[in-house]
């Protein structure tokens, strides 16, 4: 194999050989930067799915406020809509869990202390959070057996405050324990916990509890990869600047290439930086409420007594 820097001037292609070790150092550094970016993208995907689910609850509650309860068919369509939102959310959660494990393993090694610590951290979240345990079991149920929103409860109640009392309208998606029990593969320990809470389980609180765990996990993962990401970014950005000039000529669209001896391209590392700006913006966007399990959105303007 041979390795070269490659770029364009106004009139020609410029090429120059580079050392194999330098090629692989730069390729590895870019890969580590991309992993950090992909971690932020997966978290954004997860949080956006949560927002869509929560906004769906608000939309359906507003529809109930305006039009009242419609009919059985309309209710079943709304139930299916919430099922879709929850299935999307749980799928995004599973993707995040699986792919972050794979990424940490690739970055630090399968037997690394970093990977072991992340697994311990996840297990601790599972043990301490009822919502985590329930939603993980429901995700397995969705994948292998059936949907999880079995009932929608339409509720309204008087809300006293300063001035006139308000009426609040709420949509509550629920799962039925007796239906889940028909799934022979449903985790018995979780089923036992469910049965102690009654046959109808409100999914709003557990979902928020579950997602609050991912906020904690994402913060933990950021800290674990921080040092290597910063080191890789410095190396990569320095390389991008270095290869603005190839063979004593200023070039654009520079890249590094791995070639067979007969000039056939094996691999290429494009020396671009736009993805780093995108990463910086995602990091800022992905700072979210750490107390999701104890937070809920409302459009009320009622003054509290």
């Amino acid at each position: 194999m041979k390795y070269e820097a490659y770029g364009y001037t106004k009139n020609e292609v410029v090429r120059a050989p580079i050392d194999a070790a330098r090629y692989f150092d730069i390729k590895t550094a870019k890969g580590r930067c991309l992993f950090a970016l992909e971690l932020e993208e997966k978290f954004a995907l997860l949080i956006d799915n949560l927002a869509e689910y929560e906004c769906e609850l608000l939309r359906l509650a507003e529809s109930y406020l305006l039009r009242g309860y419609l009919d059985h068919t309309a209710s079943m369509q709304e139930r299916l809509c919430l099922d879709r939102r929850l299935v999307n959310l749980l799928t995004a959660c599973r993707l995040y869990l699986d792919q972050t494990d794979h990424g940490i393993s690739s970055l630090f090694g399968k037997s690394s202390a970093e990977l072991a610590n992340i697994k311990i951290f996840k297990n601790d979240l599972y043990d301490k959070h009822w919502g985590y345990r329930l939603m993980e079991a429901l995700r397995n149920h969705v994948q292998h057996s059936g949907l999880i929103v079995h009932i929608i409860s339409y509720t309204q109640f008087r809300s006293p405050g300063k001035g006139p009392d308000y009426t609040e309208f709420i949509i509550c998606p629920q799962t039925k324990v007796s239906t889940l029990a028909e799934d022979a593969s449903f985790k018995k320990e979780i089923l036992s916990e469910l049965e102690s809470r009654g046959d109808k389980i409100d999914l709003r609180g557990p979902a928020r509890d579950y997602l609050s765990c991912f906020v904690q996990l994402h913060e933990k993962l950021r800290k674990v990869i921080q040092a290597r990401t910063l080191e890789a970014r410095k190396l990569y950005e320095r390389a991008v600047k270095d290869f603005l000039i190839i063979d004593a000529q200023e070039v654009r669209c520079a890249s590094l290439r791995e070639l067979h001896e007969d000039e056939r391209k094996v691999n290429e590392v494009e020396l671009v930086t736009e993805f780093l700006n995108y990463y910086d913006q995602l990091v800022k966007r992905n700072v979210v409420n750490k107390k999701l399990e104890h937070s809920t959105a409302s459009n009320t303007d009622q003054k509290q007594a």
Side-chain angles (χ1 to χ4, degrees):
M1 293 293 179
K2 58 183 182 179
Y3 306 89
E4 67 175 19
Y6 187 100
Y8 300 87
T9 66
K10 186 175 182 180
N11 301 312
E12 64 177 334
V13 172
V14 180
R15 304 167 69 169
I18 62 170
D19 183 71
R22 191 174 191 200
Y23 169 84
F24 284 109
D25 283 347
I26 296 169
K27 180 182 178 183
T28 298
K30 184 178 182 182
R32 288 177 177 175
C33 292
L34 287 171
F35 171 67
L37 168 61
E38 289 164 2
L39 178 65
E40 296 301 327
E41 285 192 320
K42 292 178 180 70
F43 186 71
L45 178 70
L46 188 156
I47 294 301
D48 287 346
N49 271 285
L50 173 64
E52 289 172 3
Y53 161 67
E54 292 284 359
C55 287
E56 200 68 67
L57 288 172
L58 287 172
R59 185 186 70 80
L60 295 177
E62 182 67 19
S63 177
Y64 176 41
L65 179 155
L66 293 171
R67 299 182 179 87
Y69 177 76
L70 299 177
D71 57 29
H72 182 266
T73 297
S75 177
M76 289 300 97
Q77 290 172 339
E78 291 182 347
R79 177 194 59 78
L80 185 59
C81 179
L82 288 175
D83 254 319
R84 184 178 79 247
R85 296 298 188 192
L86 275 172
V87 167
N88 289 343
L89 176 59
L90 293 175
T91 300
C93 290
R94 188 71 254 169
L95 179 151
Y96 185 92
L97 290 171
D98 289 347
Q99 295 189 15
T100 50
D101 268 2
H102 176 73
I104 295 297
S105 175
S106 298
L107 187 61
F108 295 100
K110 291 182 179 180
S111 302
S112 64
E114 289 82 0
L115 180 59
N117 287 336
I118 289 298
K119 289 185 175 182
I120 290 170
F121 190 80
K122 289 179 181 179
N123 291 338
D124 193 49
L125 290 173
Y126 183 93
D127 292 338
K128 290 181 177 178
H129 291 263
W130 156 242
Y132 195 117
R133 296 193 298 279
L134 173 59
M135 300 312 288
E136 278 288 285
L138 290 178
R139 188 206 62 81
N140 289 331
H141 179 77
V142 162
Q143 182 177 352
H144 300 293
S145 298
L147 298 177
I148 57 176
V149 180
H150 303 133
I151 304 169
I152 293 181
S153 171
Y154 297 81
T155 305
Q156 54 181 286
F157 62 90
R158 185 171 62 87
S159 175
K162 291 183 179 179
D165 291 347
Y166 279 36
T167 302
E168 293 197 25
F169 294 78
I170 293 174
I171 298 293
C172 172
Q174 296 171 305
T175 195
K176 287 187 68 177
V177 178
S178 55
T179 301
L180 298 176
E182 294 173 4
D183 175 9
S185 64
F186 199 88
K187 198 166 185 179
K188 296 298 183 287
E189 295 88 344
I190 305 302
L191 191 61
S192 178
E193 285 189 86
L194 283 167
E195 288 171 340
S196 69
R197 296 167 183 257
D199 190 48
K200 297 176 184 178
I201 304 297
D202 182 349
L203 293 175
R204 292 173 300 168
R208 291 164 189 158
D209 186 27
Y210 187 42
L211 269 294
S212 73
C213 293
F214 282 84
V215 175
Q216 296 177 56
L217 175 59
H218 190 66
E219 189 174 284
K220 174 75 171 179
L221 285 163
R222 276 179 169 176
K223 290 177 181 178
V224 167
I225 70 170
Q226 183 178 39
R228 290 206 178 185
T229 301
L230 288 174
E231 179 185 12
R233 182 166 181 167
K234 287 179 183 178
L235 189 157
Y236 178 71
E237 288 181 323
R238 185 167 61 248
V240 171
K241 290 180 180 179
D242 289 346
F243 288 104
L244 290 173
I245 297 176
I246 299 175
D247 197 24
Q249 298 184 71
E250 290 187 11
V251 300
R252 55 184 175 80
C253 303
S255 65
L256 308 181
R257 295 182 175 182
E258 180 181 3
L259 305 168
H260 288 292
E261 293 300 328
D262 61 5
E263 300 292 321
R264 286 184 296 115
K265 185 173 71 174
V266 177
N267 212 332
E268 183 170 6
V269 180
E270 296 178 345
L271 298 177
V272 295
T273 58
E274 289 83 359
F275 75 94
L276 294 173
N277 297 327
Y278 171 48
Y279 165 74
D280 291 337
Q281 292 302 312
L282 270 181
V283 168
K284 293 178 183 178
R285 180 174 180 264
N286 282 343
V287 176
V288 300
N289 184 357
K290 294 181 180 180
K291 297 182 183 279
L292 292 177
E293 72 275 29
H294 297 138
S295 304
T296 184
S298 171
N299 292 326
T300 187
D301 64 348
Q302 185 183 40
K303 303 296 187 293
Q304 295 299 307

